[in-house]
Amino acid sequence: SAVISQKPSRDICQRGTSLTIQCQVDSQVTMMFWYRQQPGQSLTLIATANQGSEATYESGFVIDKFPISRPNLTFSTLTVSNMSPEDSSIYLCSAAGESTAREETQYFGPGTRLLVL
Amino acid sequence: AQSVTQPDIHITVSEGASLELRCNYSYGATPYLFWYVQSPGQGLQLLLKYFSGDTLVQGIKGFEAEFKRSQSSFNLRKPSVHWSDAAEYFCAVGGGGSQGNLIFGKGTKLSVKP
């Protein structure tokens, strides 16, 4: 299984600023995803991070607010832009293994806990 | 619409008692089903998964789950709960790792009484 790390693990930010979260996988993976977990809620997919091309965003999420990069098969970043208190959440990165097989499991990073004041 | 329902928001069981966490799903294609656990302040850890084959799947930490297609269910069970099992449990459905995102239930928080 892939081992995933995220930086920072937590942060407290002022409204109007931006934060970039890094996700590093210990092996090359085909798929990487970014999820948001709002307080007391379940996980919601923000976008699929595509290597070498623009991310694919889910309904309700836009690139201007959540720009994503994926320069290679082991690394991705998510930026939360122009933050407001409503952006306070846990942001989780996941990766889906080393092949394009459907029988691949998504493994999750430890999450980044963001508080916006 | 694709969805996952975990009807129990919070369950409390005594240590040593058996446990069953319910999960029902709605998915248009062949579902790939997962249970994840999230301990306080931690990320998600995979407990077990079902892709195909035997409908009773074994996972880590003594957990098992049974896929029942006729009931669109994938309930999680453990015969004897340990205090360290206290956590939040999420059921998820998807089309497979390379096929895109997972749809998560809202989670069931498990408390364990000594």
Side-chain angles (χ1 to χ4, degrees):
Chain A
S1 64
V3 177
I4 303 169
S5 59
Q6 286 184 232
K7 288 196 295 187
S9 59
R10 59 180 68 240
D11 208 341
I12 301 173
C13 300
Q14 297 297 318
R15 71 169 67 212
T17 63
S18 298
L19 176 72
T20 295
I21 302 168
Q22 298 180 4
C23 177
Q24 179 73 54
V25 189
D26 69 341
S27 58
Q28 293 186 342
V29 291
T30 55
M31 307 290 284
M32 294 182 74
F33 305 90
W34 287 98
Y35 289 81
R36 181 176 73 181
Q37 185 179 20
Q38 293 178 299
Q41 301 297 314
S42 187
L43 283 77
T44 302
L45 182 70
I46 297 172
T48 302
N50 300 310
Q51 193 267 327
S53 64
E54 197 168 281
T56 304
Y57 290 84
E58 297 299 305
S59 175
F61 298 96
V62 296
I63 187 171
D64 290 346
K65 176 66 176 178
F66 297 103
I68 288 170
S69 78
R70 189 177 173 193
N72 56 50
L73 293 176
T74 64
F75 186 77
S76 177
T77 67
L78 168 75
T79 298
V80 186
S81 303
N82 188 24
M83 288 184 285
S84 67
E86 292 71 34
D87 294 319
S88 298
S89 294
I90 302 172
Y91 292 87
L92 295 107
C93 169
S94 74
E98 299 176 352
S99 78
T100 56
R102 293 190 66 188
E103 288 76 15
E104 284 286 358
T105 301
Q106 281 188 39
Y107 295 94
F108 285 80
T112 295
R113 284 151 182 78
L114 171 62
L115 177 62
V116 184
L117 302 176
Chain B
Q2 300 171 349
S3 64
V4 175
T5 301
Q6 293 180 246
D8 303 306
I9 297 172
H10 190 185
I11 285 181
T12 300
V13 299
S14 298
E15 191 168 16
S18 63
L19 171 70
E20 182 170 27
L21 302 182
R22 295 182 290 166
C23 172
N24 292 95
Y25 67 90
S26 173
Y27 197 75
T30 301
Y32 287 15
L33 295 155
F34 306 84
W35 277 98
Y36 289 87
V37 60
Q38 186 178 38
S39 299
Q42 303 296 313
L44 270 70
Q45 181 182 20
L46 178 72
L47 281 177
L48 48 75
K49 60 190 176 185
Y50 173 79
F51 290 150
S52 64
D54 192 346
T55 57
L56 183 63
V57 294
Q58 303 297 320
I60 62 171
K61 304 184 180 185
F63 285 92
E64 66 177 26
E66 186 171 12
F67 170 56
K68 293 185 177 180
R69 184 184 299 274
S70 61
Q71 299 177 19
S72 297
S73 70
F74 189 56
N75 294 347
L76 182 71
R77 300 194 293 252
K78 186 169 184 178
S80 177
V81 169
H82 188 262
W83 64 267
S84 60
D85 293 324
E88 188 142 24
Y89 292 79
F90 292 94
C91 180
V93 65
S98 67
Q99 302 301 312
N101 64 305
L102 292 175
I103 299 164
F104 282 84
K106 292 189 175 181
T108 297
K109 183 176 180 180
L110 173 66
S111 298
V112 180
K113 293 189 299 185

